[in-house]
Amino acid sequence: MNPVFAASDVADLIEKAEQGQRLSFEDGVRLMRSNDVAALGYAANLVRNRLHGDTTTYIVNRYLHYSNVCWDTCKFCSFYRKPGEPGAFAKPLDEIFSWAQRFAGQSIQELHIVGGLHPSLKYDYYLDLLRGLKRILPSTALKGFTSVEIDWFARISRKPVETVMREMVEAGLDSLTGGGAEIFADRVRDLLCPNKIRAARWFEIHEVAHRLGLKTQATMLYGHIETPQERIDHMLRIREVQDRTGGFQVFIPLAYHPENNALRGVERATGMTDLKVYAVSRLMLDNVPHLKCYWISAGLKLAQIALSYGVDDLDGIVYEHERIFHDAGSSTPQSVSEDEIRHMVREAGRVPCRRDSRYRLLEEVAA
Ligand code: SF4
């Protein structure tokens, strides 16, 4: 072990990580409680370098919010509107398709599709949405819907999740987003989103997707009312499923943004907390290949530093119409050019590389 960290309160855990040993729940809680962020970063960076060297991936993508109307009222959510409320929208398919036509023929690797739980849109709307987008953008991967939306589709169609997933895949769905995970612990869900599907259902839907050959993502919304134990519990539930399915390709910690929602009196997590969460995520999730920094939420400067705290993947290049974090007060830019991302990665001493939706590298990276 680097002697600089020999006196750290987590020196024994740094050593465990160095030796590639799996960390326990108790280990994770100790790491999460430690203020030795430099030691955490050192260990997370070792793991990151072991897995990916200096390669730092990003994807060229577009974001589609088909609707922000939702019957639910999660306390941390600044995105949803009730039907008829000012700012509520549900886009007609022809409007979405003419928007997508603008990108036909361009090299866009992924379209990220997410919305609320609309009380009256029909199930066929979602299948027609996928079919139409696939027709217009045949070589763009459609990464669509949270498992909360998939559960909703199963309810409105009165079909089992597996049938819904099969129909979605036939219509063009390529992968599931990682949203709706929030914090898995019932205590947090009872307080913040009591109507939302529970952890077991969230995992059931991802496991169906994995069985059908889809790769999916997992997120964690942190920095609100959760405890260190609940963060680690969240990670370990993902690790346990990943041991069985191998279907999660990336973990994405998302900091809670406090504006324009019903959760009062909670400050945005500090940069130290952000870096600690990234580092501990990298150390605990030893079987999830990638750790993403969602710069639209974290900010570009923190994203650059996070590349030394376990992160090997940055989210996309252009976020037209990004709403979820900007409605919640995020002041990050709406878009960033590919040159800017590459410059930022190089300046951090890493090697930028464009990837596709399955994390295949799209350019040669020097060893
Ligand atoms: S987080 Fe999702 S389910 Fe909850 S209110 Fe917002 S859009 Fe609806």
Side-chain angles (χ1 to χ4, degrees):
M1 185 178 53
N2 187 327
V4 171
F5 301 112
S8 170
D9 61 333
V10 287
D12 55 324
L13 304 181
I14 302 299
E15 200 164 354
K16 246 175 131 174
E18 265 185 336
Q19 291 167 1
Q21 291 179 40
R22 180 160 269 196
L23 297 167
S24 67
F25 175 80
E26 290 73 23
D27 294 341
V29 174
R30 274 184 60 208
L31 291 171
M32 201 56 90
R33 286 199 165 131
S34 172
N35 286 322
D36 196 346
V37 180
L40 299 180
Y42 163 76
N45 201 40
L46 278 180
V47 176
R48 181 243 204 260
N49 288 348
R50 207 181 278 152
L51 290 168
H52 308 291
D54 283 327
T55 303
T56 300
T57 49
Y58 62 90
I59 192 162
V60 177
N61 60 355
R62 295 291 183 276
Y63 222 73
L64 169 65
H65 299 303
Y66 55 88
S67 171
N68 64 350
V69 176
C70 188
W71 74 268
D72 208 346
T73 54
C74 303
K75 285 201 174 75
F76 50 78
C77 180
S78 314
F79 172 71
Y80 77 85
R81 299 288 182 277
K82 292 290 147 203
E85 216 183 300
F89 66 86
K91 293 181 181 166
L93 289 177
D94 54 359
E95 183 185 320
I96 293 174
F97 296 154
S98 36
W99 169 81
Q101 286 285 2
R102 290 166 37 200
F103 311 120
Q106 292 182 23
S107 177
I108 293 168
Q109 271 73 51
E110 188 177 86
L111 188 58
H112 183 124
I113 307 164
V114 74
L117 310 179
H118 196 292
S120 56
L121 282 178
K122 300 281 180 264
Y123 177 57
D124 281 348
Y125 170 92
Y126 304 99
L127 294 175
D128 290 342
L129 172 70
L130 293 170
R131 287 190 199 106
L133 289 171
K134 205 47 147 186
R135 199 173 51 246
I136 297 164
L137 302 170
S139 51
T140 297
L142 301 182
K143 182 176 80 184
F145 311 124
T146 64
S147 49
V148 182
E149 288 166 283
I150 297 291
D151 172 74
W152 180 247
F153 303 158
R155 287 158 70 180
I156 61 175
S157 67
R158 296 171 193 267
K159 294 179 179 182
V161 160
E162 179 139 2
T163 308
V164 168
M165 287 298 304
R166 284 185 188 282
E167 290 178 349
M168 293 272 150
V169 170
E170 271 170 33
L173 186 70
D174 293 292
S175 67
L176 273 193
T177 75
E182 325 308 358
I183 288 284
F184 288 131
D186 283 346
R187 183 194 74 86
V188 174
R189 288 178 116 72
D190 284 342
L191 290 169
L192 298 188
C193 49
N195 305 318
K196 190 168 249 175
I197 59 171
R198 295 289 156 141
R201 180 71 163 167
W202 190 96
F203 280 109
E204 179 194 339
I205 291 167
H206 279 265
E207 288 200 55
V208 169
H210 297 168
R211 273 204 305 281
L212 295 179
L214 271 60
K215 293 290 184 189
T216 71
Q217 311 193 333
T219 61
M220 176 177 80
L221 186 73
Y222 68 91
H224 40 86
I225 62 164
E226 85 286 359
T227 63
Q229 288 90 335
E230 285 162 344
R231 286 181 193 160
I232 299 301
D233 166 71
H234 186 96
M235 293 174 196
L236 293 194
R237 293 189 203 214
I238 294 165
R239 190 170 82 181
E240 194 259 316
V241 171
Q242 181 75 341
D243 275 344
R244 281 189 280 113
T245 70
F248 292 112
Q249 53 188 1
V250 61
F251 182 64
I252 313 165
L254 299 168
Y256 163 69
H257 280 258
E259 289 178 26
N260 305 321
N261 60 50
L263 184 57
R264 306 266 178 248
V266 179
E267 298 288 318
R268 164 77 170 84
T270 63
M272 288 290 274
T273 300
D274 290 336
L275 293 176
K276 188 192 293 193
V277 168
Y278 285 119
V280 176
S281 302
R282 183 60 287 167
L283 293 170
M284 297 307 294
L285 289 166
D286 54 15
N287 56 359
V288 176
H290 299 282
L291 180 67
K292 177 185 288 193
C293 179
Y294 194 62
W295 62 260
I296 205 91
S297 158
L300 286 165
K301 289 182 178 171
L302 192 115
Q304 189 183 33
I305 297 166
L307 298 179
S308 298
Y309 285 77
V311 167
D312 67 284
D313 184 46
L314 297 172
D315 207 60
I317 292 301
V318 177
Y319 274 92
E320 283 184 287
H321 312 302
E322 198 288 330
R323 298 288 300 261
I324 292 175
F325 287 95
H326 286 96
D327 285 358
S330 176
S331 57
T332 58
Q334 286 276 357
S335 67
V336 61
S337 73
E338 188 163 8
D339 282 350
E340 282 172 277
I341 285 272
R342 294 181 77 89
H343 171 70
M344 185 181 121
V345 170
R346 282 206 193 93
E347 214 191 22
R350 305 291 183 170
V351 181
C353 183
R354 203 197 255 222
R355 67 165 173 87
D356 72 5
S357 193
R358 283 250 176 174
Y359 281 81
R360 289 173 292 226
L361 304 185
L362 298 180
E363 57 189 297
E364 290 273 325
V365 177

